[in-house]
Amino acid sequence: MNFPNIWDFFPGLHSFALMEPSHAIIRILLVFLGVFLVYMGYKEKLDPLLMLPLGFTMALVNAAILIMGEGQLGNLFVDPMVSEPDKLLDALQINFLQPFYNFTFANGLIACLVFLGIGAITDLDFFIARPFLSLFLAIGAELGTLLTLPLAVALGFDFKEAASIAIVGGADGPMVLFTSLILAKHLFVPIAVIAYVYLGVCYAVYPYLIKLMIPKKLRAIHMDPSEIRNVPSSEKFAFAIVAGVILCLIFPVAAPLFACFFFGVAVKESNIARFREFLDILLSGATLFLGFTLGALLSVTVVMDHRVFLILILGMVALLLSGIGGIIAGLIACKLSGGKINPLIGIAAVSCVPTTAKVAQHCAMEADETIMILPHAMGPCVAGVITTAILCGIYVTLVPLF
Amino acid sequence: MEDVGTAFRIVFLTSLLGIVNCAFIYVVIFLVRWFTSSRKGGVEET
């Protein structure tokens, strides 16, 4: 009678012995990083809505590697690389997140659902009351989205890959997912994962950039919320329909995103309570499963792709440049208005709704506890979503022509 | 390897198209504001 090998009782531990030492070390580091992200989310130092599910599954998926069929190492969460129909069918039945990944993540549906929910919580008041200021700040905050493209090309990426990476500078997760799915599907997983991790981190990093670039005296400029024109719901509703139709006409490739965002806005302004409650729950569910799936994708095999390091650097550069662009636009607006506009609302134009608006408010309150600039900051924040969507539409339309 | 000069051309075209589209949005906002304010007082808002 042959006794089984002792390692057969501990397949997870046995998989360490079967890996290259460098992969094994990275795998352990990823487990600890996942635990660290969960802790940071729990303490609300990073966005908990994303970091809790992402960090959790990241730690667990790297712990749960085992020997699959044909002696390959893998996990029972998700295999993003499987594409042959018969292997995909097997994966759909075995990997518990595979159906969710293939039917909502890999086809962009989850991006559209998140965008639907974002539209339903977006307040258009300041954007419609001060459209020129909001759009000016938003264009400044797209500096990273624009300048990262030639930088990525210089580092060896082709135009489509470079555009997919550059969209990270728009600081909008659904847009990043959508663009990389259309232009560079083979880089979809690392780009999406890096973009969302960075978006969670920017809440912690942008305040340092702000303190470096904006003097305390300017951060303490008061802006009175009562100065914002009261925009009736009918006007916001009409804008949602008209702008949605026009943008879909100009950029039909990006129509699913525009449709979802503006429909969410229309639902909010139409005040249909049942739809609003449903979209609220939908946003929470989509965000939870998005974080869960992203964490499951952060396994050692994805991280060890040699281009991930370059994408890590470029993503960081893109978000940094966008932050710098937004702050410069805010400082210009402050100067041209004779000191009436707080330049902090420029950082809100980096469209991570509503994170960057909250960053602006938080930094303003550090300078003066009585300041309330959040309503004003939401205008460029919303404008940032629209300008990023426009740039996404331009990239997916224009870049394939070159 | 792709040409960086062409990449900058893409960026230039993107910036131009982006500004034009933002101008479109700006015009839409004003048209909507004009249309909804011209209907005020005539139709009860729900």
Side-chain angles (χ1 to χ4, degrees), chain A residues 17 53 64 105 117 140 142-143 165 182 204 243 257 281 309 320 329 372-373:
Chain A
F105 206 87
E142 297 296 346
L143 189 69
I165 297 166
I182 292 179
L257 280 181
I281 295 168
F309 181 69
L320 206 62
M372 176 49 68
I373 61 164

Side-chain angles (χ1 to χ4, degrees), chain A residues 286-350:
Chain A
T287 307
L288 185 137
F289 275 100
L290 183 68
F292 217 60
T293 311
L294 280 168
L297 290 171
L298 263 168
S299 68
V300 63
T301 45
V302 168
V303 171
M304 293 306 286
D305 183 335
H306 65 284
R307 282 185 296 187
V308 165
F309 181 69
L310 282 176
I311 297 171
L312 264 170
I313 302 292
L314 287 167
M316 204 183 318
V317 167
L319 280 170
L320 206 62
L321 284 174
S322 289
I324 290 170
I327 290 172
I328 290 174
L331 287 166
I332 293 172
C334 178
K335 181 82 182 163
L336 293 176
S337 67
K340 289 191 185 137
I341 291 171
N342 191 320
L344 278 170
I345 64 172
I347 197 72
V350 181

Side-chain angles (χ1 to χ4, degrees), chain A residues 128 131-132 135 146 149-150 153-154 158-159 229 234-235 238-239 242 246 250-251 387 390-391 394-395 398 402, chain B residues 1-4 6-8 10-11 13-15 17-19 21-22 24-26 28-30 32-33 36 45:
Chain A
I128 291 184
F132 183 79
L135 286 168
L146 293 167
L149 191 147
V153 167
D158 64 36
F159 293 134
R229 176 177 76 92
S234 56
E235 195 173 324
F239 169 75
V242 176
I246 287 176
I250 300 171
F251 302 114
T387 51
I390 288 171
L391 288 190
I394 294 171
Y395 274 163
L398 191 68
F402 285 85
Chain B
M1 187 160 154
E2 307 280 21
D3 173 29
V4 176
T6 309
F8 275 107
I10 294 174
V11 166
L13 280 171
T14 305
S15 309
L17 283 170
I19 290 169
N21 280 289
C22 288
F24 261 137
I25 297 291
Y26 186 67
V28 165
I29 289 171
F30 272 96
V32 164
R33 188 190 296 184
T36 50
E45 282 193 352

Side-chain angles (χ1 to χ4, degrees), chain A residues 238-288:
Chain A
F239 169 75
I241 303 295
V242 176
V245 167
I246 287 176
L247 286 172
C248 285
L249 194 66
I250 300 171
F251 302 114
V253 183
L257 280 181
F258 291 133
C260 289
F261 178 73
F262 287 110
F263 180 66
V265 172
V267 162
K268 178 176 183 283
E269 299 308 329
S270 65
N271 226 7
I272 302 172
R274 279 186 179 182
F275 279 173
R276 288 187 69 174
E277 282 159 18
F278 173 69
L279 289 188
D280 202 27
I281 295 168
L282 184 71
L283 179 60
S284 302
T287 307
L288 185 137

Side-chain angles (χ1 to χ4, degrees), chain A residues 68-247:
Chain A
M68 309 290 282
E70 296 162 15
Q72 297 293 318
L73 292 175
N75 61 70
L76 295 177
F77 284 67
V78 66
D79 182 358
M81 302 302 169
V82 67
S83 56
E84 295 104 23
D86 50 347
K87 287 188 179 168
L88 181 58
L89 267 174
D90 286 340
L92 284 167
Q93 289 170 58
I94 298 167
N95 298 337
F96 93 99
L97 282 176
Q98 199 74 39
F100 189 81
Y101 173 78
N102 283 97
F103 298 133
T104 67
F105 206 87
N107 62 357
L109 175 60
I110 196 76
C112 294
L113 291 178
V114 169
F115 227 38
L116 187 63
I118 288 174
I121 62 168
T122 294
D123 193 356
L124 290 183
D125 283 69
F126 187 81
F127 171 62
I128 291 184
R130 305 277 302 262
F132 183 79
L133 174 63
S134 302
L135 286 168
F136 172 74
L137 296 172
I139 289 169
E142 297 296 346
L143 189 69
T145 316
L146 293 167
L147 291 186
T148 306
L149 191 147
L151 193 59
V153 167
L155 288 174
F157 291 97
D158 64 36
F159 293 134
K160 289 184 181 180
E161 291 167 344
S164 305
I165 297 166
I167 281 287
V168 173
D172 209 300
M175 233 76 79
V176 173
L177 288 178
F178 196 79
T179 312
S180 56
L181 272 171
I182 292 179
L183 292 180
K185 201 155 188 171
H186 54 290
L187 288 183
F188 163 68
V189 171
I191 290 175
V193 157
I194 286 165
Y196 271 97
V197 169
Y198 278 156
L199 292 179
V201 163
C202 76
Y203 188 72
V205 171
Y206 273 157
Y208 295 102
L209 184 67
I210 286 166
K211 281 170 191 162
L212 203 65
M213 291 183 68
I214 305 178
K216 190 172 178 179
K217 186 179 148 194
L218 296 183
R219 280 184 265 141
I221 292 174
H222 283 255
M223 294 178 79
D224 186 1
S226 63
E227 285 173 355
I228 303 172
R229 176 177 76 92
N230 187 26
V231 181
S233 280
S234 56
E235 195 173 324
K236 288 183 271 189
F237 183 83
F239 169 75
I241 303 295
V242 176
V245 167
I246 287 176
L247 286 172

